[in-house]
Amino acid sequence: MDVVNFRILEALQEDARMPFTRIGQELGMSSPAISDRVKKMEDLGVIRGYKAIVDPKALGYQFQAMITLRAFVGKLRPLLDKVPQLREVRNCYRITGTENIIMEVVLEDQGHLERFIDLLIAYGETRTHVVLSQVIAQNPLGRPLAKKD
Amino acid sequence: MDVVNFRILEALQEDARMPFTRIGQELGMSSPAISDRVKKMEDLGVIRGYKAIVDPKALGYQFQAMITLRAFVGKLRPLLDKVPQLREVRNCYRITGTENIIMEVVLEDQGHLERFIDLLIAYGETRTHVVLSQVIAQNPLGRPLAKKD
DNA sequence: CCTGAAATAGCCAGGTC
DNA sequence: GACCTGGCTATTTCAGG
């Protein structure tokens, strides 16, 4: 993980479909060299995949929300098993603090939001924060300053 | 936005580098047809880009955290202006509720976490939740059920 | 939306430092 | 080990229908 790899990561986080030839041009390298490095980063788990970023609003999801949940005793495990089946959940984290879980969800309308919360209250006490706007979205990960290869 | 477009979105959310030829094969269409549809979805803002998904741990970020912040009076605007400059912030949302802001951050170590919180307390009251594990990561967006094209 | 051709890009040797 | 070049294959892109 030298500086070249971080330049490659930077490019691919900005546009995952950018051709290796062009990345190579900007770095003064050939495309096989880039390809080798990318494959190695994929194998090492540094690169976990490539995803299209889709706008929920454009698909008809009127609301986005952050929901924290404090699980009832014995209900955390069942919830963790349930969450992967919920299409509304885009991201879900186990966290420290009085709440156990925080998830980012997309909802089609008010009724959908209500039904979703109803579903959750079987597992714990929830707190819902409707998203007003996204200030930063998928900011690329840079090189850790403390990192000494 | 018909069912074909949603199939394409599904594929590209799973792997943004999947060739259009292969997507076309699975849908019984030619690659130019896929290309046209993708370009149209990009122009409409449905597809906002393509990003490599990078593992923070593999880069040397030891902590990930969700931080909520309740801004002091007159401090929300300055914070919103500041946030885009912070490399630690991967996502940041304005939300409803007693807190105004929630952000997802990556930190290199304990000291980094401390410095970052110190920076934030100039703007408001913070609550930090260290991420223990990510239960769901970047779950693909599906077709809204209520959507009637 | 298709086909078919042209331009690009990715990929597999083999060779160099 | 990391990189380059050359040639082959795959993919994208562009035209016309």
Side-chain angles (χ1 to χ4, degrees):
Chain A
M1 287 306 304
D2 57 5
V3 64
V4 175
N5 274 6
F6 278 99
R7 297 281 297 276
I8 295 173
L9 281 184
E10 198 180 325
L12 289 177
Q13 285 181 98
E14 191 204 306
D15 176 10
R17 292 181 74 86
M18 188 181 297
F20 293 161
T21 50
R22 195 146 72 80
I23 299 177
Q25 280 168 13
E26 288 169 15
L27 295 174
M29 289 168 65
S30 69
S31 78
I34 306 297
S35 177
D36 283 353
R37 281 170 172 269
V38 168
K39 208 155 301 274
K40 208 159 292 179
M41 287 194 281
E42 289 171 355
D43 292 343
L44 286 173
V46 175
I47 298 176
R48 303 195 77 81
Y50 308 90
K51 307 222 174 196
I53 305 301
V54 175
D55 181 2
K57 282 235 175 35
L59 291 193
Y61 292 96
Q62 297 183 29
F63 298 113
Q64 209 165 339
M66 305 297 301
I67 302 181
T68 59
L69 184 144
R70 181 180 182 179
F72 299 138
V73 281
K75 288 294 188 181
L76 181 58
R77 197 70 249 165
L79 176 62
L80 291 174
D81 293 338
K82 179 74 173 178
V83 162
Q85 303 163 23
L86 303 175
R87 20 171 250 97
E88 293 91 345
V89 179
R90 300 189 75 191
N91 287 289
C92 178
Y93 308 87
R94 278 203 60 185
I95 55 175
T96 62
T98 55
E99 267 93 22
N100 312 108
I101 292 285
I102 183 163
M103 46 188 139
E104 179 190 337
V105 300
V106 289
L107 290 322
E108 298 175 33
D109 51 40
Q110 223 168 348
H112 191 188
L113 172 58
E114 182 172 356
R115 288 194 303 279
F116 189 75
I117 292 174
D118 280 351
L119 185 155
L120 286 182
I121 55 180
Y123 297 94
E125 199 179 317
T126 67
R127 196 179 308 239
T128 302
H129 304 271
V130 173
V131 171
L132 299 174
S133 67
Q134 187 151 6
V135 184
I136 296 291
Q138 299 287 121
N139 193 25
L141 225 48
R143 171 181 223 186
L145 300 178
K147 195 76 190 305
K148 59 238 150 281
D149 300 323
Chain B
M1 287 306 303
D2 58 4
V3 64
V4 174
N5 273 7
F6 278 100
R7 297 281 297 276
I8 295 173
L9 281 184
E10 198 180 325
L12 290 177
Q13 285 181 98
E14 190 204 307
D15 176 10
R17 292 182 73 86
M18 188 180 298
F20 294 162
T21 50
R22 197 145 71 80
I23 299 176
Q25 280 166 15
E26 289 169 15
L27 295 175
M29 289 167 65
S30 70
S31 76
I34 307 297
S35 176
D36 284 353
R37 281 169 172 268
V38 168
K39 209 156 301 275
K40 209 159 293 179
M41 287 194 281
E42 289 170 356
D43 292 343
L44 286 173
V46 174
I47 297 177
R48 303 196 78 80
Y50 308 90
K51 307 225 173 195
I53 306 302
V54 175
D55 181 3
K57 282 234 175 35
L59 290 193
Y61 291 97
Q62 298 182 30
F63 298 113
Q64 208 165 339
M66 305 295 301
I67 302 182
T68 58
L69 185 143
R70 180 180 183 178
F72 300 137
V73 281
K75 287 295 188 181
L76 181 57
R77 197 70 248 165
L79 176 61
L80 291 175
D81 294 338
K82 179 73 173 177
V83 161
Q85 303 162 23
L86 303 174
R87 18 173 252 97
E88 293 92 344
V89 179
R90 299 190 77 191
N91 287 289
C92 178
Y93 308 87
R94 277 204 60 188
I95 54 175
T96 61
T98 56
E99 267 92 23
N100 312 108
I101 292 286
I102 184 162
M103 47 189 140
E104 179 189 337
V105 301
V106 289
L107 290 321
E108 298 175 32
D109 51 39
Q110 224 168 346
H112 190 187
L113 172 58
E114 182 172 358
R115 289 195 303 280
F116 189 75
I117 292 174
D118 280 351
L119 185 155
L120 286 183
I121 55 179
Y123 297 93
E125 200 179 316
T126 66
R127 196 180 307 240
T128 302
H129 304 271
V130 173
V131 171
L132 299 174
S133 66
Q134 187 152 6
V135 183
I136 296 291
Q138 298 289 121
N139 193 25
L141 225 48
R143 170 181 224 185
L145 301 179
K147 196 75 188 309
K148 60 232 149 285
D149 299 323

